[in-house]
């Protein structure tokens, strides 16, 4: 009953045809035989690890049947969960053929199960085809995790680029919104780079190469700039935020694009990560002379950023911008000293001196002394 020769030959289409041709009685007999199938004693040869599970899967007709073939780990996973991780197109084609004839109503559950456990993520190409067939529900976060997870020794930059070229909807529906989800890009993995050399590194390195090529081919929508900027206030790890900043710089945004997204830049000034604050202030330095620059919003951010630690260079830039804006717009002069007084907490003598200089420019000395009183103990002698 069991198609041993087809398994030995790894003839996936023929295995599917065999499973679909079974009568109900034959199928039940085959299921029982496959549960006790001792393939080792049959000496089927090497590399039949996909063919044997496929043989069992194509004998099933329901999720209850699938559960007849559990795997040892993780608990409650079946052979279908395991095979869904395969990168082989032949296996994908075989599963698509099988499910076309036996429409599944349980693949959402399989997908969700796979995403719960590290190293059991399903292959994004297979999952995408399931979605195209209407067999699973599209979920941005789930698909983003499946796409950006790079399992050990399974991914190739050039293959990824080719697939994304052929499936531009993945860029629109998965890559564009990925910035808001905690996808596993800070893990280390083994993969092949664009030049087909093997590399062991952080997953962001894999995606740097993919994005660089997609950008060169004008396949990445510039809307991604906005999405990346909006993500800079998310509670991501430093490495993730630094990566988003590198991706923004890759786009080399034009001045008008910065202006269009300046409120997102201002939001970044309240980020907990100093890399974000430094990046935002340095960007604002290049656009604050633009006639449509929202100087009022920037000046309102000064109290928030003035007390930031380990941002001395960026704070000096922010003070220079504030000083220039106060020269151009007199309405900011009366509140300038109060808004920047928090910078006196910084230990840098240069930063303290620049802050005191600006405070005294538009404010009486006795008023400045009152504003500085909370930080007098930490002021350098040259500032007093």
């Amino acid at each position: 009953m069991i198609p041993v020769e087809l398994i030995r030959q790894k003839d996936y289409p023929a295995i599917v045809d065999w499973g679909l041709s079974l009568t109900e009685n034959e199928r039940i007999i085959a299921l029982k035989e496959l549960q006790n199938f001792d393939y080792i004693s049959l000496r089927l040869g090497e590399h039949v690890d996909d063919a044997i599970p496929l043989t069992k899967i194509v004998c099933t007709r329901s999720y209850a049947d699938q559960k007849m073939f559990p795997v040892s780990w993780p608990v409650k996973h079946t052979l279908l969960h395991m095979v869904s991780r395969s990168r082989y197109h032949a296996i994908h084609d075989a599963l698509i053929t099988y499910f076309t004839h036996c429409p599944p109503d349980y693949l959402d559950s399989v997908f969700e199960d796979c995403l719960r456990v590290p190293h059991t993520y399903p292959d994004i190409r297979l999952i995408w085809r399931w979605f195209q067939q209407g067999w699973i529900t599209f979920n941005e976060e789930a698909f983003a995790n499946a796409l950006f997870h790079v399992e050990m020794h399974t991914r190739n930059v050039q293959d990824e680029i080719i697939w994304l070229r052929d499936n531009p909807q993945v860029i629109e529906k998965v890559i564009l919104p990925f910035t808001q989800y905690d996808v596993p890009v800070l893990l280390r993995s083994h993969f092949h780079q664009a030049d087909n050399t093997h590399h062991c590194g952080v997953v962001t390195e894999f995606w740097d190469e993919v994005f660089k090529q997609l950008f060169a081919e004008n396949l990445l929508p510039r809307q991604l700039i906005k999405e990346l900027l909006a993500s800079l206030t998310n509670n991501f790890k430093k490495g993730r935020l630094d990566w988003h900043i590198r991706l923004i710089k890759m786009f080399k945004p034009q001045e008008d694009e910065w202006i269009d997204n300046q409120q997102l830049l201002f939001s970044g000034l309240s980020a907990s990560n100093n890399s974000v604050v430094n990046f935002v202030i340095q960007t604002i330095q290049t656009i604050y002379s633009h006639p449509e620059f929202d100087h009022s919003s920037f000046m309102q951010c000064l109290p928030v950023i003035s007390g930031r630690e380990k941002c001395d260079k960026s704070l000096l830039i922010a003070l220079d911008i504030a000083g220039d804006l106060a020269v151009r717009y007199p309405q900011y002069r009366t509140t300038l000293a109060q808004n920047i007084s928090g910078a006196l907490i910084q230990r840098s003598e240069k930063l303290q001196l620049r802050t005191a200089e600006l405070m005294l420019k538009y404010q009486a000395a006795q008023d400045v002394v009152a504003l500085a009183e909370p930080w007098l103990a930490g002021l350098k002698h040259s500032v007093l």
Side-chain angles (χ1 to χ4, degrees), residues 112-172:
E112 291 169 8
D113 289 345
C114 290
L115 291 177
R116 290 192 182 103
V117 184
H119 306 298
T120 67
Y121 284 24
D123 182 75
I124 182 61
R125 303 181 193 203
L126 176 61
I127 296 304
W128 186 253
R129 291 179 69 178
W130 286 357
F131 162 66
Q132 289 177 315
Q133 295 291 333
W135 296 332
I136 58 173
T137 306
F138 181 76
N139 177 290
E140 275 186 359
E141 183 174 10
F143 274 74
N145 273 283
L147 174 65
F148 282 90
H149 173 73
V150 176
E151 187 58 57
M152 294 282 189
H153 306 288
T154 64
R155 302 285 275 273
N156 180 299
V157 168
Q158 284 299 336
D159 288 346
E160 206 74 28
I161 292 168
I162 292 169
W163 183 69
L164 288 170
R165 279 196 204 112
D166 293 339
N167 294 274
Q169 198 177 16
V170 176
I171 298 175
E172 175 190 345

Side-chain angles (χ1 to χ4, degrees), residues 10-61:
K10 295 173 62 176
D11 190 340
Y12 301 137
I15 290 172
V16 174
D17 289 342
W18 168 82
L20 294 175
S21 67
L22 296 173
T23 65
E24 185 60 15
N25 285 337
E26 291 172 337
R27 188 181 72 83
I28 292 172
I29 294 172
L31 282 174
K32 292 179 180 179
E33 290 184 6
L34 286 167
Q35 280 185 298
N36 302 306
F37 184 39
D38 182 11
Y39 68 92
I40 296 177
S41 65
L42 293 176
R43 298 181 182 180
L44 295 174
E46 299 179 350
H47 311 301
V48 294
D49 291 345
D50 287 330
I52 295 170
L54 180 65
T55 303
K56 296 177 179 181
I57 289 170
V58 298
C59 280
T60 67
R61 296 295 183 266

Side-chain angles (χ1 to χ4, degrees), residues 13-297:
I15 290 172
V16 174
D17 289 342
W18 168 82
L20 294 175
S21 67
L22 296 173
T23 65
E24 185 60 15
N25 285 337
E26 291 172 337
R27 188 181 72 83
I28 292 172
I29 294 172
L31 282 174
K32 292 179 180 179
E33 290 184 6
L34 286 167
Q35 280 185 298
N36 302 306
F37 184 39
D38 182 11
Y39 68 92
I40 296 177
S41 65
L42 293 176
R43 298 181 182 180
L44 295 174
E46 299 179 350
H47 311 301
V48 294
D49 291 345
D50 287 330
I52 295 170
L54 180 65
T55 303
K56 296 177 179 181
I57 289 170
V58 298
C59 280
T60 67
R61 296 295 183 266
S62 67
Y63 199 23
D65 287 348
Q66 297 283 0
K67 292 177 180 179
M68 294 174 66
F69 301 109
V71 293
S72 58
W73 182 89
V75 177
K76 296 184 179 180
H77 279 216
T78 68
L79 287 176
L80 178 59
H81 291 76
M82 183 186 75
V83 172
S84 71
R85 303 199 297 270
S86 174
R87 296 285 292 176
Y88 296 118
H89 296 297
I91 283 290
H92 295 184
D93 292 342
L95 288 174
I96 295 296
T97 300
Y98 162 66
F99 284 131
T100 299
H101 290 84
C102 303
D105 60 1
Y106 47 83
L107 292 184
D108 277 323
S109 296
V110 172
F111 188 16
E112 291 169 8
D113 289 345
C114 290
L115 291 177
R116 290 192 182 103
V117 184
H119 306 298
T120 67
Y121 284 24
D123 182 75
I124 182 61
R125 303 181 193 203
L126 176 61
I127 296 304
W128 186 253
R129 291 179 69 178
W130 286 357
F131 162 66
Q132 289 177 315
Q133 295 291 333
W135 296 332
I136 58 173
T137 306
F138 181 76
N139 177 290
E140 275 186 359
E141 183 174 10
F143 274 74
N145 273 283
L147 174 65
F148 282 90
H149 173 73
V150 176
E151 187 58 57
M152 294 282 189
H153 306 288
T154 64
R155 302 285 275 273
N156 180 299
V157 168
Q158 284 299 336
D159 288 346
E160 206 74 28
I161 292 168
I162 292 169
W163 183 69
L164 288 170
R165 279 196 204 112
D166 293 339
N167 294 274
Q169 198 177 16
V170 176
I171 298 175
E172 175 190 345
K173 293 180 71 66
V174 184
I175 290 181
L176 194 56
F178 93 92
T179 57
Q180 60 189 299
Y181 302 115
D182 191 16
V183 294
V185 292
L186 298 183
L187 302 176
R188 297 189 68 82
S189 189
H190 291 262
F191 51 86
H192 282 82
Q193 301 180 105
D195 60 3
N196 212 35
T197 58
H198 171 264
H199 180 68
C200 175
V202 181
V203 171
T204 54
E205 297 177 60
F206 174 88
W207 286 105
D208 280 339
E209 293 204 38
V210 173
F211 282 172
K212 180 180 178 181
Q213 185 59 38
L214 293 177
F215 174 71
E217 297 180 21
N218 200 31
L219 294 176
L220 283 181
R222 297 190 73 83
Q223 171 70 14
L224 189 55
I225 297 172
K226 181 177 181 179
E227 303 299 329
L228 288 163
L229 284 171
S231 73
L232 296 183
T233 54
N234 288 351
N235 189 30
F236 291 145
K237 293 181 179 179
K238 182 180 183 300
R240 174 73 186 274
L241 294 171
D242 289 347
W243 181 51
H244 283 200
I245 291 172
R246 293 201 305 273
L247 292 178
I248 294 170
K249 291 179 177 178
M250 177 193 71
F251 277 96
K252 298 179 180 178
Q254 301 298 308
E255 189 175 46
D256 286 347
E257 290 178 300
W258 288 128
I259 292 297
D260 289 343
N261 292 295
Q262 60 184 308
Q263 296 306 320
L264 292 175
L265 285 172
F266 297 143
S267 295
L269 292 174
S270 62
S272 59
N273 183 282
N274 280 349
S275 296
V276 173
V277 175
N278 290 333
F279 163 70
V280 169
I281 291 177
Q282 290 165 18
T283 301
I284 289 174
Q285 185 183 26
T286 68
I287 64 170
Y288 80 93
S289 295
H290 192 283
E292 295 182 27
F293 178 71
D294 187 354
H295 43 80
S296 175
S297 291

